Amino acid sequence: MMQSTWTCLVGLAVVCASVFASENVDPVRSNYTVSDGHATCIVMATGIRLKIPYVGTNKNYTTIIDVPANTTGSSGKCQNSDGSETLTIQVYPTFTVTLVFGNSSVNPNSYEWKSISLTYKLDGAHFPNATNTGQPISEQLLLANGSLSSTFGGSFSCQGRQDFVMNDGTIFTLSDLQYRAFGVTDSTVFSESNVQHCSADDEDHPNTDLAIAIPVGIALAACIVIVVVIYVVASRVRGPEESGFSDD
């Protein structure tokens, strides 16, 4: 009896730790490009995570979608009518992410990130128990002027996580980002010069691995404490004999 009890409790600890740790592990970093046949205007490398709230049959849910490395593809346009450039990522057949870049409105001779748009359907595979399965959803977030800006010919980099909250509460997370827009050559390699870094990447920024390891370790320790408490309480309820102790 004790053996099976410990096996169940260990399994509970593993599940508990994995739930806490999953959000502390960065999504897989993928590469995206947009070309018009003459030049590769957009080059991006980043991990993307979407944390989407939705209404279920008897309660509210949240689903976490990491954009996989083997997405069905990316596309875009190097010259829209308003002078902007677009990167569209096909997460899966009914889910797309569209990113728009344009001339910076605050920094001279620079470009910036203009908006993030999501278009998807509430399918059963990614949104279990959704009340409106099959319903199309569209969201857009306009970024503040000067967001993720770099000079023409350069790139923007941010190794830390960046969270953007959409209008309905969806959290769009970028990790280990580097991107370049308005490129005029075929190169898909980021130059080591002329890189604009985010404020989180200064010399005082803590080591990324350590920043991940600390919350994961705390979560695991908390799970162990919970499991031990459950075991002690259950042992006392079962009585001395079933908990492995005797009065002999």
Side-chain angles (χ1 to χ4, degrees), residues 25-83:
V25 177
D26 287 336
V28 176
R29 195 172 193 246
S30 300
N31 299 304
Y32 309 99
T33 60
V34 176
S35 176
D36 63 359
H38 302 287
T40 301
C41 58
I42 299 174
V43 180
M44 178 180 291
T46 189
I48 300 175
R49 171 170 294 155
L50 298 157
K51 191 173 182 180
I52 306 174
Y54 65 97
V55 178
T57 51
N58 50 15
K59 66 176 184 178
N60 293 332
Y61 294 87
T62 297
T63 188
I64 297 177
I65 299 175
D66 286 355
V67 177
N70 58 342
T71 57
T72 55
S74 61
S75 58
K77 194 171 183 180
C78 289
Q79 188 66 37
N80 294 307
S81 58
D82 60 358

Side-chain angles (χ1 to χ4, degrees), residues 1-2 15 63-64 84 91 97-98 116 130 145 183 194 214 227 230 235 242 246:
M1 178 69 70
M2 281 191 65
V15 171
T63 188
I64 297 177
S84 65
V91 181
V97 174
T98 301
I116 301 169
N145 293 338
N194 198 12
I214 289 175
V227 169
I230 292 174
S235 298
E242 290 191 10
S246 67

Side-chain angles (χ1 to χ4, degrees), residues 160-215:
R161 291 188 185 183
Q162 300 175 94
D163 291 334
F164 302 89
V165 182
M166 312 289 286
N167 293 334
D168 73 338
T170 293
I171 300 176
F172 182 92
T173 300
L174 296 169
S175 63
D176 198 6
L177 165 72
Q178 187 165 9
Y179 89 96
R180 182 198 75 209
F182 295 92
V184 294
T185 70
D186 288 334
S187 175
T188 58
V189 178
F190 296 110
S191 172
E192 295 183 1
S193 61
N194 198 12
V195 180
Q196 179 67 42
H197 294 274
C198 64
S199 58
D201 284 353
D202 60 24
E203 294 181 358
D204 294 329
H205 184 64
N207 180 272
T208 302
D209 292 337
L210 182 61
I212 293 173
I214 289 175

Side-chain angles (χ1 to χ4, degrees), residues 90-152:
Q90 195 78 40
V91 181
Y92 52 84
T94 59
F95 199 127
T96 59
V97 174
T98 301
L99 313 174
V100 178
F101 313 96
N103 292 326
S104 176
S105 54
V106 295
N107 300 316
N109 194 35
S110 300
Y111 59 89
E112 63 187 23
W113 202 316
K114 292 291 188 181
S115 67
I116 301 169
S117 299
L118 310 178
T119 303
Y120 58 93
K121 287 186 178 180
L122 294 175
D123 63 78
H126 300 91
F127 301 90
N129 302 314
T131 55
N132 298 317
T133 301
Q135 177 183 354
I137 305 291
S138 295
E139 306 177 44
Q140 185 183 51
L141 174 66
L142 300 178
L143 275 63
N145 293 338
S147 294
L148 286 63
S149 178
S150 181
T151 57
F152 290 112

Side-chain angles (χ1 to χ4, degrees), residues 6 9-10 12-14 16-17 20 217-231:
W6 271 111
L9 291 175
V10 170
L12 176 61
V14 172
C16 178
F20 280 106
I218 293 173
L220 180 58
C223 287
I224 293 174
V225 171
I226 292 171
V227 169
V228 170
V229 171
I230 292 174
Y231 176 75

